[in-house]
Amino acid sequence: MDAVVTSRRTLNEYTSGVLKSDPEFDGLEYVLAAIADGAQKVQAQVQGAALAGALGSDGQTNVQGEVVQFLDTYASDTFVEVLKDSGYVAAISCEEIDNTVIVGNGLDQRFIIQMDPLDGSSNIDVAVSIGSIFGIWKRRKGGPVTDADLLRPGDEQVAAVYVVYGSSTVMVLATEDGVQGFTMDPEDRDFRLTHADIRIPADNSVYSVNEGNFYKWDDATQRAVVSLREAFSLRYVGSLVADFHRNLLKGGIFLYPGDRSNPQGKLRLMYEANPLAYIAERAGGAASSGSRRILDIQPEGLHQRIPLIIGNRDVVESTLSIMSGVYDTDGE
Ligand code: AHM
Ligand code: MG
Protein backbone atom coordinates (compact mmCIF):
# COMPACT_ATOMS: atom_id res chain seq x y z
CA MET A 1 0.00 0.00 0.00
CA ASP A 2 2.71 2.47 1.04
CA ALA A 3 4.77 1.65 -2.05
CA VAL A 4 1.81 2.45 -4.27
CA VAL A 5 1.13 5.74 -2.51
CA THR A 6 4.71 7.02 -2.50
CA SER A 7 5.23 6.05 -6.13
CA ARG A 8 2.56 8.54 -7.17
CA ARG A 9 3.88 11.81 -8.54
CA THR A 10 3.77 14.76 -6.15
CA LEU A 11 2.34 18.09 -7.23
CA ASN A 12 5.89 19.49 -7.42
CA GLU A 13 7.08 16.61 -9.57
CA TYR A 14 4.11 17.10 -11.90
CA THR A 15 4.48 20.88 -12.22
CA SER A 16 8.24 20.82 -12.66
CA GLY A 17 7.89 18.12 -15.31
CA VAL A 18 5.02 19.62 -17.28
CA LEU A 19 5.12 23.38 -16.79
CA LYS A 20 8.87 23.92 -17.00
CA SER A 21 8.92 23.06 -20.69
CA ASP A 22 6.75 26.10 -21.53
CA PRO A 23 8.14 29.62 -20.85
CA GLU A 24 4.52 30.83 -20.74
CA PHE A 25 4.31 29.17 -17.32
CA ASP A 26 7.63 30.40 -15.85
CA GLY A 27 7.16 30.67 -12.09
CA LEU A 28 3.69 29.12 -12.04
CA GLU A 29 5.05 26.05 -10.25
CA TYR A 30 6.00 28.29 -7.30
CA VAL A 31 2.53 29.83 -7.20
CA LEU A 32 0.98 26.34 -7.19
CA ALA A 33 3.39 25.17 -4.49
CA ALA A 34 2.33 28.20 -2.43
CA ILE A 35 -1.35 27.31 -2.86
CA ALA A 36 -0.58 23.72 -1.77
CA ASP A 37 1.30 25.03 1.26
CA GLY A 38 -1.61 27.33 2.18
CA ALA A 39 -4.10 24.49 1.69
CA GLN A 40 -2.14 22.26 4.08
CA LYS A 41 -2.30 25.00 6.71
CA VAL A 42 -5.99 25.74 6.13
CA GLN A 43 -6.88 22.04 6.18
CA ALA A 44 -5.14 21.65 9.57
CA GLN A 45 -6.94 24.69 10.92
CA VAL A 46 -10.32 23.50 9.60
CA GLN A 47 -9.80 20.06 11.20
CA GLY A 48 -8.93 21.52 14.58
CA ALA A 49 -11.14 24.58 14.62
CA ALA A 50 -13.74 23.33 17.10
CA LEU A 51 -11.04 22.13 19.50
CA ALA A 52 -9.24 25.47 19.29
CA GLY A 53 -12.50 27.40 19.79
CA ALA A 54 -12.06 28.93 16.33
CA LEU A 55 -15.50 28.22 14.90
CA GLY A 56 -18.09 30.95 14.41
CA SER A 57 -17.72 34.65 13.76
CA ASP A 58 -16.75 37.86 15.47
CA GLY A 59 -19.76 39.46 13.77
CA GLN A 60 -17.81 41.28 11.03
CA THR A 61 -19.22 41.37 7.49
CA ASN A 62 -17.28 41.34 4.23
CA VAL A 63 -17.65 43.50 1.12
CA GLN A 64 -20.67 41.39 0.09
CA GLY A 65 -22.39 42.09 3.44
CA GLU A 66 -21.94 38.44 4.48
CA VAL A 67 -20.91 37.42 7.98
CA VAL A 68 -17.21 36.54 8.07
CA GLN A 69 -16.30 33.39 9.99
CA PHE A 70 -13.00 33.18 11.92
CA LEU A 71 -11.86 30.51 9.46
CA ASP A 72 -12.66 32.77 6.47
CA THR A 73 -10.22 35.32 7.86
CA TYR A 74 -7.61 32.69 8.71
CA ALA A 75 -7.79 31.22 5.19
CA SER A 76 -7.66 34.64 3.54
CA ASP A 77 -4.62 35.76 5.60
CA THR A 78 -2.87 32.42 5.06
CA PHE A 79 -3.23 32.38 1.29
CA VAL A 80 -2.29 36.07 0.96
CA GLU A 81 0.88 35.38 2.94
CA VAL A 82 2.01 32.25 1.07
CA LEU A 83 1.20 33.78 -2.32
CA LYS A 84 3.14 36.96 -1.46
CA ASP A 85 6.08 34.83 -0.29
CA SER A 86 6.12 32.84 -3.54
CA GLY A 87 7.82 35.82 -5.20
CA TYR A 88 5.80 35.34 -8.41
CA VAL A 89 2.52 37.08 -7.57
CA ALA A 90 1.84 40.73 -8.44
CA ALA A 91 -1.68 41.09 -7.01
CA ILE A 92 -4.32 39.15 -5.10
CA SER A 93 -8.06 39.82 -5.15
CA CYS A 94 -10.16 37.99 -2.62
CA GLU A 95 -13.77 37.49 -1.57
CA GLU A 96 -12.96 38.65 1.95
CA ILE A 97 -10.97 41.79 0.99
CA ASP A 98 -12.59 44.93 -0.50
CA ASN A 99 -9.60 46.05 -2.54
CA THR A 100 -6.93 44.11 -4.36
CA VAL A 101 -3.72 43.44 -2.45
CA ILE A 102 -0.93 44.75 -4.67
CA VAL A 103 2.14 42.69 -3.85
CA GLY A 104 4.67 44.23 -6.22
CA ASN A 105 5.68 44.97 -9.77
CA GLY A 106 8.98 43.10 -9.96
CA LEU A 107 9.95 41.26 -13.13
CA ASP A 108 9.23 37.87 -11.56
CA GLN A 109 5.85 38.96 -10.19
CA ARG A 110 3.95 37.91 -13.27
CA PHE A 111 0.75 36.32 -11.90
CA ILE A 112 -2.53 37.75 -10.65
CA ILE A 113 -4.69 35.65 -8.34
CA GLN A 114 -8.42 35.96 -7.73
CA MET A 115 -9.50 33.73 -4.87
CA ASP A 116 -12.31 32.58 -2.64
CA PRO A 117 -10.14 31.44 0.27
CA LEU A 118 -12.87 29.45 2.05
CA ASP A 119 -15.94 28.58 0.03
CA GLY A 120 -19.05 27.12 1.64
CA SER A 121 -18.91 29.22 4.80
CA SER A 122 -22.29 28.04 6.04
CA ASN A 123 -20.91 24.47 6.22
CA ILE A 124 -17.84 25.31 8.31
CA ASP A 125 -19.48 24.79 11.70
CA VAL A 126 -21.17 21.51 10.81
CA ALA A 127 -18.25 19.40 9.54
CA VAL A 128 -19.44 19.40 5.91
CA SER A 129 -16.97 19.74 2.99
CA ILE A 130 -15.72 23.23 2.17
CA GLY A 131 -13.05 24.46 -0.22
CA SER A 132 -10.79 27.15 -1.67
CA ILE A 133 -10.89 28.45 -5.26
CA PHE A 134 -8.20 30.25 -7.31
CA GLY A 135 -8.22 31.80 -10.78
CA ILE A 136 -4.73 32.61 -12.13
CA TRP A 137 -4.10 35.24 -14.79
CA LYS A 138 -0.80 36.57 -16.13
CA ARG A 139 -0.03 40.21 -15.48
CA ARG A 140 0.29 42.27 -18.61
CA LYS A 141 3.87 43.20 -19.38
CA GLY A 142 5.44 46.36 -17.91
CA GLY A 143 4.19 48.98 -15.46
CA PRO A 144 2.19 48.64 -12.27
CA VAL A 145 -0.93 46.47 -11.93
CA THR A 146 -4.00 48.31 -13.19
CA ASP A 147 -7.74 47.63 -13.34
CA ALA A 148 -7.16 46.39 -16.87
CA ASP A 149 -4.91 43.64 -15.44
CA LEU A 150 -7.53 42.66 -12.89
CA LEU A 151 -10.81 42.83 -14.79
CA ARG A 152 -10.13 40.34 -17.56
CA PRO A 153 -12.32 37.59 -18.96
CA GLY A 154 -11.92 34.08 -17.60
CA ASP A 155 -10.66 32.92 -20.99
CA GLU A 156 -7.38 34.67 -20.21
CA GLN A 157 -6.70 32.53 -17.16
CA VAL A 158 -3.53 30.46 -17.47
CA ALA A 159 -4.57 28.04 -14.75
CA ALA A 160 -7.29 27.46 -12.18
CA VAL A 161 -7.26 25.50 -8.96
CA TYR A 162 -9.63 24.41 -6.26
CA VAL A 163 -9.06 22.50 -3.06
CA VAL A 164 -11.83 20.54 -1.38
CA TYR A 165 -11.49 19.82 2.34
CA GLY A 166 -13.68 16.75 2.65
CA SER A 167 -13.31 13.15 3.72
CA SER A 168 -9.99 13.57 1.93
CA THR A 169 -8.28 16.79 0.86
CA VAL A 170 -8.02 17.07 -2.91
CA MET A 171 -6.43 19.79 -5.04
CA VAL A 172 -7.62 19.98 -8.64
CA LEU A 173 -5.44 21.89 -11.10
CA ALA A 174 -6.39 22.84 -14.66
CA THR A 175 -3.89 24.19 -17.17
CA GLU A 176 -3.64 23.91 -20.93
CA ASP A 177 -2.25 20.46 -20.16
CA GLY A 178 -5.64 19.29 -18.84
CA VAL A 179 -7.16 18.70 -15.41
CA GLN A 180 -5.30 16.79 -12.70
CA GLY A 181 -6.37 15.90 -9.17
CA PHE A 182 -3.89 15.52 -6.27
CA THR A 183 -4.86 14.01 -2.93
CA MET A 184 -3.14 15.11 0.27
CA ASP A 185 -1.20 12.18 1.71
CA PRO A 186 -2.04 12.08 5.44
CA GLU A 187 1.46 10.71 6.19
CA ASP A 188 3.67 13.47 4.81
CA ARG A 189 0.94 15.99 3.76
CA ASP A 190 2.28 16.11 0.17
CA PHE A 191 -0.26 16.34 -2.63
CA ARG A 192 0.04 13.26 -4.89
CA LEU A 193 -1.44 12.71 -8.32
CA THR A 194 -4.48 10.46 -7.86
CA HIS A 195 -6.83 11.67 -10.62
CA ALA A 196 -4.90 12.07 -13.89
CA ASP A 197 -6.46 13.77 -16.93
CA ILE A 198 -9.93 14.22 -15.50
CA ARG A 199 -12.78 14.31 -18.03
CA ILE A 200 -16.40 14.75 -16.93
CA PRO A 201 -18.02 11.32 -17.49
CA ALA A 202 -20.56 11.28 -20.30
CA ASP A 203 -23.19 9.73 -18.03
CA ASN A 204 -24.79 12.61 -16.21
CA SER A 205 -26.62 11.32 -13.16
CA VAL A 206 -27.03 14.29 -10.87
CA TYR A 207 -28.39 17.83 -10.78
CA SER A 208 -27.40 20.24 -8.02
CA VAL A 209 -29.44 23.33 -7.22
CA ASN A 210 -30.99 24.98 -4.18
CA GLU A 211 -34.57 23.79 -4.74
CA GLY A 212 -35.67 26.02 -1.86
CA ASN A 213 -35.44 28.93 -4.31
CA PHE A 214 -37.89 27.30 -6.75
CA TYR A 215 -40.72 29.80 -6.34
CA LYS A 216 -38.34 32.74 -6.73
CA TRP A 217 -37.28 31.63 -10.23
CA ASP A 218 -38.89 32.71 -13.48
CA ASP A 219 -41.05 30.23 -15.43
CA ALA A 220 -38.27 29.15 -17.80
CA THR A 221 -35.87 28.34 -14.94
CA GLN A 222 -38.63 26.41 -13.15
CA ARG A 223 -39.32 24.41 -16.32
CA ALA A 224 -35.61 23.63 -16.74
CA VAL A 225 -35.30 22.40 -13.15
CA VAL A 226 -38.48 20.29 -13.43
CA SER A 227 -36.99 18.63 -16.49
CA LEU A 228 -33.74 17.91 -14.58
CA ARG A 229 -35.81 16.47 -11.70
CA GLU A 230 -37.46 14.04 -14.08
CA ALA A 231 -34.14 12.77 -15.40
CA PHE A 232 -31.63 12.88 -12.55
CA SER A 233 -31.05 12.52 -8.80
CA LEU A 234 -30.72 15.67 -6.72
CA ARG A 235 -27.48 16.15 -4.77
CA TYR A 236 -26.81 19.52 -3.14
CA VAL A 237 -24.14 20.08 -0.49
CA GLY A 238 -24.37 23.87 -0.47
CA SER A 239 -20.58 24.23 -0.87
CA LEU A 240 -19.89 25.08 -4.49
CA VAL A 241 -16.50 23.35 -4.48
CA ALA A 242 -17.93 20.11 -3.07
CA ASP A 243 -20.91 20.08 -5.45
CA PHE A 244 -18.67 20.88 -8.42
CA HIS A 245 -16.05 18.27 -7.44
CA ARG A 246 -18.62 15.48 -7.19
CA ASN A 247 -20.15 16.42 -10.54
CA LEU A 248 -16.72 16.71 -12.20
CA LEU A 249 -15.80 13.17 -11.16
CA LYS A 250 -19.18 11.50 -11.52
CA GLY A 251 -21.06 13.60 -14.08
CA GLY A 252 -23.63 16.20 -13.21
CA ILE A 253 -24.92 19.73 -13.65
CA PHE A 254 -24.82 22.49 -11.02
CA LEU A 255 -27.03 25.58 -11.22
CA TYR A 256 -27.20 28.78 -9.21
CA PRO A 257 -29.59 30.83 -11.37
CA GLY A 258 -30.72 34.38 -10.80
CA ASP A 259 -34.03 34.81 -9.01
CA ARG A 260 -36.57 37.55 -8.29
CA SER A 261 -34.63 38.95 -5.33
CA ASN A 262 -31.16 38.33 -6.79
CA PRO A 263 -31.24 38.55 -10.60
CA GLN A 264 -27.49 37.90 -10.75
CA GLY A 265 -27.70 34.92 -8.42
CA LYS A 266 -25.28 34.53 -5.54
CA LEU A 267 -21.96 33.35 -6.89
CA ARG A 268 -19.08 35.62 -7.83
CA LEU A 269 -17.73 35.81 -11.37
CA MET A 270 -14.04 36.36 -10.74
CA TYR A 271 -13.20 33.83 -8.05
CA GLU A 272 -16.03 31.28 -8.20
CA ALA A 273 -17.52 31.06 -11.71
CA ASN A 274 -14.40 31.81 -13.79
CA PRO A 275 -11.98 29.30 -12.22
CA LEU A 276 -14.58 26.52 -12.16
CA ALA A 277 -15.67 27.32 -15.73
CA TYR A 278 -12.03 27.08 -16.86
CA ILE A 279 -11.71 23.68 -15.13
CA ALA A 280 -15.07 22.43 -16.49
CA GLU A 281 -14.18 23.32 -20.08
CA ARG A 282 -10.77 21.68 -19.87
CA ALA A 283 -12.50 18.56 -18.59
CA GLY A 284 -14.89 18.60 -21.58
CA GLY A 285 -17.76 20.41 -19.84
CA ALA A 286 -19.41 23.81 -20.22
CA ALA A 287 -20.34 26.82 -18.10
CA SER A 288 -22.83 29.57 -18.87
CA SER A 289 -24.50 32.48 -17.13
CA GLY A 290 -27.70 31.63 -19.01
CA SER A 291 -26.96 34.21 -21.67
CA ARG A 292 -23.18 34.03 -22.13
CA ARG A 293 -20.37 31.53 -21.95
CA ILE A 294 -18.85 32.36 -18.54
CA LEU A 295 -15.27 32.60 -19.88
CA ASP A 296 -16.29 35.23 -22.46
CA ILE A 297 -17.75 37.70 -19.98
CA GLN A 298 -15.91 41.00 -19.64
CA PRO A 299 -15.99 41.64 -15.88
CA GLU A 300 -17.17 44.98 -14.54
CA GLY A 301 -16.22 44.58 -10.89
CA LEU A 302 -14.02 42.38 -8.73
CA HIS A 303 -16.93 41.18 -6.63
CA GLN A 304 -19.66 41.03 -9.27
CA ARG A 305 -22.17 38.17 -9.10
CA ILE A 306 -23.23 36.00 -12.00
CA PRO A 307 -25.77 33.20 -12.53
CA LEU A 308 -23.95 29.89 -13.06
CA ILE A 309 -24.97 26.77 -14.98
CA ILE A 310 -22.03 24.36 -15.16
CA GLY A 311 -21.30 20.70 -15.80
CA ASN A 312 -21.75 18.13 -18.58
CA ARG A 313 -21.82 20.03 -21.84
CA ASP A 314 -24.87 18.31 -23.36
CA VAL A 315 -26.95 18.74 -20.21
CA VAL A 316 -25.86 22.37 -19.83
CA GLU A 317 -26.89 22.96 -23.45
CA SER A 318 -30.27 21.20 -23.10
CA THR A 319 -30.96 23.06 -19.84
CA LEU A 320 -30.10 26.37 -21.50
CA SER A 321 -32.38 25.60 -24.40
CA ILE A 322 -35.30 25.28 -21.97
CA MET A 323 -34.19 28.49 -20.25
CA SER A 324 -33.88 30.10 -23.71
CA GLY A 325 -30.23 30.67 -22.96
CA VAL A 326 -27.22 29.88 -25.07
CA TYR A 327 -23.79 28.43 -24.60
CA ASP A 328 -21.54 29.90 -27.22
CA THR A 329 -19.56 26.93 -28.43
CA ASP A 330 -16.38 28.94 -28.85
CA GLY A 331 -15.28 26.94 -25.82
CA GLU A 332 -13.11 23.90 -26.01
P1 AHM B 1 -19.54 31.63 0.26
O1 AHM B 1 -18.48 31.87 -0.77
O2 AHM B 1 -19.77 32.83 1.12
O3 AHM B 1 -19.30 30.40 1.06
O4 AHM B 1 -20.95 31.46 -0.52
C1 AHM B 1 -21.04 30.67 -1.64
C2 AHM B 1 -21.78 29.39 -1.35
C3 AHM B 1 -21.40 28.34 -2.36
O5 AHM B 1 -20.37 27.53 -1.86
C4 AHM B 1 -22.67 27.54 -2.52
O6 AHM B 1 -22.79 26.98 -3.80
C5 AHM B 1 -23.74 28.57 -2.28
O7 AHM B 1 -23.14 29.59 -1.49
C6 AHM B 1 -24.90 28.00 -1.54
O8 AHM B 1 -25.86 28.98 -1.39
P2 AHM B 1 -27.35 28.65 -0.87
O9 AHM B 1 -27.20 28.37 0.58
O10 AHM B 1 -28.10 29.91 -1.17
O11 AHM B 1 -27.85 27.48 -1.66
MG1 MG C 1 -17.67 30.93 -2.18
Side-chain angles (χ1 to χ4, degrees), residues 66 95 116 118-122 210 213 236 238-241 243 254 256 266-268 272:
E66 297 158 344
E95 177 178 344
D116 179 351
L118 206 57
D119 174 65
S121 298
S122 67
N210 185 341
N213 292 333
Y236 190 69
S239 291
L240 175 62
V241 168
D243 281 309
F254 172 95
Y256 208 112
K266 176 180 184 187
L267 301 175
R268 276 53 60 107
E272 292 180 318

Side-chain angles (χ1 to χ4, degrees), residues 236-309:
Y236 190 69
V237 175
S239 291
L240 175 62
V241 168
D243 281 309
F244 179 82
H245 184 62
R246 181 202 51 244
N247 294 0
L248 181 74
L249 296 186
K250 296 199 164 178
I253 181 171
F254 172 95
L255 302 90
Y256 208 112
D259 60 46
R260 270 202 307 279
S261 341
N262 304 296
Q264 294 306 308
K266 176 180 184 187
L267 301 175
R268 276 53 60 107
L269 173 62
M270 295 311 288
Y271 38 79
E272 292 180 318
N274 266 332
L276 298 189
Y278 182 93
I279 294 169
E281 287 203 3
R282 263 140 203 88
S288 170
S289 68
S291 57
R292 302 281 307 277
R293 173 177 171 248
I294 291 287
L295 296 179
D296 282 339
I297 296 170
Q298 173 58 50
E300 287 166 5
L302 288 174
H303 302 288
Q304 94 179 69
R305 295 178 195 268
I306 198 82
L308 180 64
I309 298 135

Side-chain angles (χ1 to χ4, degrees), residues 167-193:
S167 52
S168 56
T169 299
V170 179
M171 176 168 167
V172 172
L173 161 67
T175 62
E176 279 172 6
D177 188 53
V179 182
Q180 321 294 334
F182 302 83
T183 301
M184 190 194 287
D185 183 335
E187 293 292 314
D188 59 10
R189 304 182 65 72
D190 258 347
F191 282 94
R192 294 183 187 280
L193 185 60

Side-chain angles (χ1 to χ4, degrees), residues 125-258:
D125 292 359
V126 291
V128 173
S129 300
I130 51 181
S132 306
I133 312 175
F134 306 84
I136 305 175
W137 282 257
K138 261 181 112 169
R139 177 181 144 206
R140 291 181 170 150
K141 288 205 173 70
V145 176
T146 63
D147 281 355
D149 289 294
L150 299 172
L151 296 178
R152 281 151 63 199
D155 236 0
E156 294 185 26
Q157 289 169 105
V158 291
V161 175
Y162 69 81
V163 182
V164 58
Y165 312 102
S167 52
S168 56
T169 299
V170 179
M171 176 168 167
V172 172
L173 161 67
T175 62
E176 279 172 6
D177 188 53
V179 182
Q180 321 294 334
F182 302 83
T183 301
M184 190 194 287
D185 183 335
E187 293 292 314
D188 59 10
R189 304 182 65 72
D190 258 347
F191 282 94
R192 294 183 187 280
L193 185 60
T194 46
H195 302 72
D197 299 318
I198 297 172
R199 305 288 296 173
I200 302 183
D203 282 348
N204 188 94
S205 58
V206 158
Y207 77 106
S208 311
V209 69
N210 185 341
E211 285 263 7
N213 292 333
F214 189 86
Y215 292 104
K216 294 196 222 158
W217 295 328
D218 62 21
D219 291 351
T221 305
Q222 289 184 350
R223 277 200 305 281
V225 171
V226 167
S227 139
L228 292 170
R229 262 185 215 163
E230 283 162 4
F232 306 122
S233 296
L234 169 64
R235 296 281 184 277
Y236 190 69
V237 175
S239 291
L240 175 62
V241 168
D243 281 309
F244 179 82
H245 184 62
R246 181 202 51 244
N247 294 0
L248 181 74
L249 296 186
K250 296 199 164 178
I253 181 171
F254 172 95
L255 302 90
Y256 208 112

